Amino acid sequence: MSDKKNKTEQILEQIKKQRSRSRVIAAEEERIELVIFSLAKDYYAFYGTNVKEILPYEKITYVPGCPDFITGIINIRGDIESVISIHKLMGIPEKKPDKNFRIIMGVHQDILSGILVDSVEDVIEVPLTYIKHPISTLDKKIKDFTVGGEMIYENKYVNILDIGKLFSILIQ
């Protein structure tokens, strides 16, 4: 009887060790938050640290004389903010805004601006190891705004875009 008890204790001890090892590995892996959105039928993402908030689509007021990639301005709780058409910057065909459209309020250094997207698909946290180098055949206009990585989400490639690179056009 004592042999069975001893063997059971050994098995339980091994299970505890394996569980503690798996917890340590999972905790050590660096994770990043991504806001995944769609443009046309493709998925893209911004780092969560560069997204202040996600707003439902609202009327954007056109401002004459602005570059064509600035759709206009919106009023957010008394603050007037610009809205960028990422479609125009990346050469992606635009569609008429609908109920799925969102305005992602991006922030980088001292710049805050809205970015019009077709829809926000998800806000997720992923291990940094999930991010791979972008494919070499990626369109140059998209590659210009890519942070240098992509991942797979729901069987689709997601290119991670750099809000800082998008906003650098605003200050040129």
Side-chain angles (χ1 to χ4, degrees), residues 31-37 44-52 104-107 123-124 126 128 131 146-150 160-163:
R31 301 176 73 78
I32 56 170
E33 184 180 59
L34 296 173
V35 176
I36 299 175
F37 60 92
Y44 300 90
F46 291 131
Y47 287 118
T49 55
N50 293 117
V51 174
K52 183 176 178 184
I104 296 175
M105 293 306 297
V107 62
V123 177
I124 60 172
V126 296
L128 197 54
I131 310 300
T146 301
V147 168
E150 69 181 14
I160 302 168
L161 304 178
D162 185 344
I163 285 183

Side-chain angles (χ1 to χ4, degrees), residues 24 32 46 56 62 66 71 77 85 87 92 97 110 125 147 152:
V24 169
I32 56 170
F46 291 131
Y62 173 74
C66 285
T71 306
R77 296 177 292 282
S85 169
H87 297 82
I92 297 170
D110 293 335
E125 199 173 275
V147 168
I152 302 219

Side-chain angles (χ1 to χ4, degrees), residues 65-163:
C66 285
D68 68 339
F69 61 84
I70 296 181
T71 306
I73 56 173
I74 57 173
N75 183 334
I76 304 173
R77 296 177 292 282
D79 292 327
I80 305 300
E81 303 295 348
S82 62
V83 178
I84 298 170
S85 169
I86 195 169
H87 297 82
K88 289 185 179 172
L89 287 173
M90 294 181 13
I92 297 170
E94 291 181 286
K95 68 178 192 176
K96 185 178 179 186
D98 61 33
K99 65 179 175 66
N100 294 319
F101 267 49
R102 296 290 181 262
I103 298 172
I104 296 175
M105 293 306 297
V107 62
H108 180 74
Q109 294 176 348
D110 293 335
I111 301 173
L112 175 68
S113 182
I115 302 165
L116 188 61
V117 299
D118 294 356
S119 67
V120 171
E121 299 299 319
D122 208 346
V123 177
I124 60 172
E125 199 173 275
V126 296
L128 197 54
T129 56
Y130 281 26
I131 310 300
K132 307 296 179 204
H133 291 289
I135 58 174
S136 60
T137 57
L138 190 63
D139 184 279
K140 183 181 176 351
K141 286 185 177 183
I142 296 169
K143 196 179 278 189
D144 288 345
F145 298 111
T146 301
V147 168
E150 69 181 14
M151 61 168 277
I152 302 219
Y153 173 79
E154 293 187 357
N155 297 321
K156 285 187 162 190
Y157 284 101
V158 177
N159 289 292
I160 302 168
L161 304 178
D162 185 344
I163 285 183

